[in-house]
Amino acid sequence: MTETTYDYKLFSRNDFNAFWALFTDNLVNLLILSGVCQFVFQMPAEIVFGRIVPGAAVAILAGVAVYTLLAKWAANRQGKDVTALPYGISTPVMFVYLFGVIGPIYWATSDPLLAWQVGIGAGFMGGIVAAFGAIIGPFLKRITPRAGMLGTLCGIALVFIGSVPLAEIFEHPIIGFTSLLFILWGLIGRFRLPGNVPAGLVAIAAGTIIAIFLGQSSFNTDGIGFYPPVPYFGDMIAGIQYLFVNPELFLVLIPVQIYNFIETMNNVESAEAAGDSYPVAVCQLTDGAGTMIGALFGSPFPTTVYIGHPAYKRLDARAGYIIGVALVIAAAAFLGFLSFLAGLIPIAAAAPVLVFVSVSLITNTAFAVKPAHMAAVAFAILPHISAFLMTKWGSMINGLRNVGVEGLPALGDSELTAALLMEGAHYEGHLALSQGAIITGLVWGAIVADVIDGRFKYAGGFAIAAAVMSSVGIIHSYTLQMPQFDGITIGYLIVGLFMIVYPMLAPRDDLEHRIIVPDEPDFMNDDTPARDRA
């Protein structure tokens, strides 16, 4: 990097609070993926806790090492203390790899070893795709309005990081409310606790103690042992070979890894909005390399810069919190403590920390974009609500099937779709919005922000780009496909062509003066001409 010119201290007392927030986020992901692999895909503990979890820990250690150096470089460059970027297993992409790659292989072959091999092969290939984001990432960051990038993150934060843990709190209110109390007091209200004890630690500890007394926590030491990280080059090659023999799996991998490097780009923008500037290309390369390293050591699951930097920035953390998380996660993985922690810490005790991360991201976005662009942020959130509905509708059908209900139609069945429409549930529309929701949210947030700013050529360009992505299945489709002109693609073309052509023909006065809407707050406090300034 550059020669040291600023005395940046990696650790501060405030890293303790940030540590518990990021540790909880990573821990929950590891608990979910290990549980699904072990109990849904019937992978033996030797694969789950001996290969996958240690591999994930190696990926986290590698990425944290880079992001610690990057924080020191950023502090030197900006001449001030910065908060290191949070890093770990990508939550949305983790579910795609579980149920879009590993699951189908296991269900087709009943071979958990093969499913794992294909998983790490897919992880390695996906890491290469993610690293290629470094080529176009800086360009996308330069042309995309902040409202689009941050707005689509707000959608993820609202429905997946905030509302799901909040529901867990209300399902176990005695544990959840107690933990939430300390999060409200110490992290959201920012009042000190006695002895300035970290609020995140107190929240998790208090919830865990109550869970022990209520019999909702357990001490299971069966999985404790030594699980050193080992490279699995032969298994990874076997998985890659299977992928090339069955190339249809790439139709799942490529779109989701495009999603992953755009998620990294958006999260880097979120950090910049909070005051810390990092090079997006380096971050995308790091995430891709971390994913490939994790795959080599046994973990199929991609890594990424996490949502939530503004929350850790607000806590005035440095780099110590990510170093602490990496070391603790690694120790837990290599010594087999993950299964012990899974039984000890109830999700309801950790959930309030995730709610705080969600609320902080949304709050920071409101301060980071100009008031007129909040319409774009709101628009960018909407596709994620559809993604949430599709996830839960699928869960409902699976739940009914698991309790023995026979003859259930699958989601997408024409009669069920028609019946849902009669009940006001627009299945087909929500399905289209849910596929590639993070990209769809970004595109529509960018279109709305550019229209507000009178950058019509940019708005039209985003619409035409969306038409191209829709035609080949990157968005609004489950898999890639040959280019086709369906209704959604044509709709994007109509929007794009209008944005580019009409401003050339419109009366000048119509572009120079805004319309005042009665009884609506007017965030445009001047009469700035709405002309394309591209």
Side-chain angles (χ1 to χ4, degrees), residues 78 80-82 269-277 309 313 364:
Q78 299 171 49
K80 64 175 185 178
D81 289 332
V82 300
E269 177 67 19
S270 175
E272 186 171 321
D276 295 341
S277 181
H309 174 278
K313 180 70 173 178
N364 185 76

Side-chain angles (χ1 to χ4, degrees), residues 428-468:
E428 290 184 344
H430 287 303
L431 176 64
L433 277 168
S434 70
Q435 303 301 317
I438 189 170
I439 303 176
T440 302
L442 182 150
V443 165
W444 278 103
I447 291 172
V448 173
D450 281 333
V451 169
I452 291 170
D453 288 346
R455 291 162 31 116
F456 303 119
K457 291 178 183 176
Y458 278 78
F462 275 104
I464 290 174
V468 173

Side-chain angles (χ1 to χ4, degrees), residues 140 238 311 318 402 495:
L140 288 175
R318 306 280 179 82
N402 290 337
V495 173

Side-chain angles (χ1 to χ4, degrees), residues 355 456 533:
V355 174
F456 303 119
R533 295 184 291 274

Side-chain angles (χ1 to χ4, degrees), residues 72-339:
K72 192 170 182 63
W73 171 83
N76 294 339
R77 183 170 176 268
Q78 299 171 49
K80 64 175 185 178
D81 289 332
V82 300
T83 297
L85 291 168
Y87 175 78
I89 302 295
S90 172
T91 306
V93 178
M94 175 186 74
F95 284 107
V96 174
Y97 269 66
L98 280 170
F99 297 107
V101 178
I102 299 173
I105 300 300
Y106 172 73
W107 292 318
T109 65
S110 298
D111 186 345
L113 176 61
L114 177 62
W116 168 72
Q117 289 174 330
V118 175
I120 61 175
F124 188 84
M125 299 302 293
I128 295 174
V129 176
F132 273 115
I135 298 174
I136 64 172
F139 169 73
L140 288 175
K141 185 175 182 294
R142 196 162 54 246
I143 67 171
T144 307
R146 176 172 287 180
M149 290 191 284
L150 299 187
T152 197
L153 292 183
C154 285
I156 298 171
L158 177 68
V159 299
F160 290 107
I161 301 176
S163 66
V164 173
L166 190 61
E168 182 74 27
I169 291 170
F170 275 77
E171 287 177 350
H172 304 278
I174 298 177
I175 298 170
F177 276 49
T178 303
S179 295
L180 182 60
L181 166 66
F182 293 106
I183 297 299
L184 290 173
W185 184 266
L187 297 186
I188 296 179
R190 303 186 77 176
F191 294 105
R192 291 185 179 182
L193 291 167
N196 202 20
V197 180
L201 171 60
V202 175
I204 294 175
T208 301
I209 291 170
I210 291 175
I212 292 172
F213 278 104
L214 294 177
Q216 297 181 27
S217 183
S218 62
F219 295 87
N220 184 357
T221 61
D222 292 344
I224 295 178
F226 183 51
Y227 305 95
V230 176
Y232 297 98
F233 186 78
D235 290 292
M236 189 179 73
I237 293 300
I240 292 173
Q241 290 173 338
Y242 189 94
L243 285 173
F244 280 99
V245 173
N246 300 272
E248 66 275 8
L249 289 172
F250 282 105
L251 301 181
V252 176
L253 289 181
I254 293 175
V256 78
Q257 287 301 157
I258 292 173
Y259 163 97
N260 206 35
F261 77 67
I262 288 179
E263 181 183 23
T264 295
M265 180 186 73
N266 292 346
N267 290 335
V268 172
E269 177 67 19
S270 175
E272 186 171 321
D276 295 341
S277 181
Y278 290 99
V280 65
V282 174
C283 296
Q284 287 169 322
L285 280 172
T286 300
D287 291 353
T291 299
M292 289 186 280
I293 292 170
L296 178 60
F297 281 86
S299 171
F301 303 104
T303 54
T304 188
V305 173
Y306 263 10
I307 290 175
H309 174 278
Y312 306 118
K313 180 70 173 178
R314 185 181 178 188
L315 296 173
D316 199 26
R318 306 280 179 82
Y321 81 107
I322 65 169
I323 296 172
V325 168
L327 294 177
V328 172
I329 289 291
F334 301 156
L335 298 177
F337 279 106
L338 191 68
S339 59

Side-chain angles (χ1 to χ4, degrees), residues 341-416:
L341 292 175
L344 181 65
I345 302 174
I347 294 178
V353 181
L354 301 181
V355 174
F356 161 70
V357 171
S358 170
V359 169
S360 292
L361 177 66
I362 296 170
T363 302
N364 185 76
T365 297
F367 284 101
V369 302
K370 58 185 182 182
H373 278 185
M374 283 305 296
V377 171
F379 215 116
I381 289 174
L382 297 177
H384 297 282
I385 297 174
S386 294
F388 184 76
L389 286 173
M390 292 304 304
T391 300
K392 296 308 174 185
W393 285 346
S395 298
M396 181 186 68
I397 293 294
N398 290 336
L400 290 171
R401 188 176 291 113
N402 290 337
V403 297
V405 178
E406 297 180 355
L408 281 173
L411 281 176
D413 176 82
S414 58
E415 292 185 5
L416 177 60

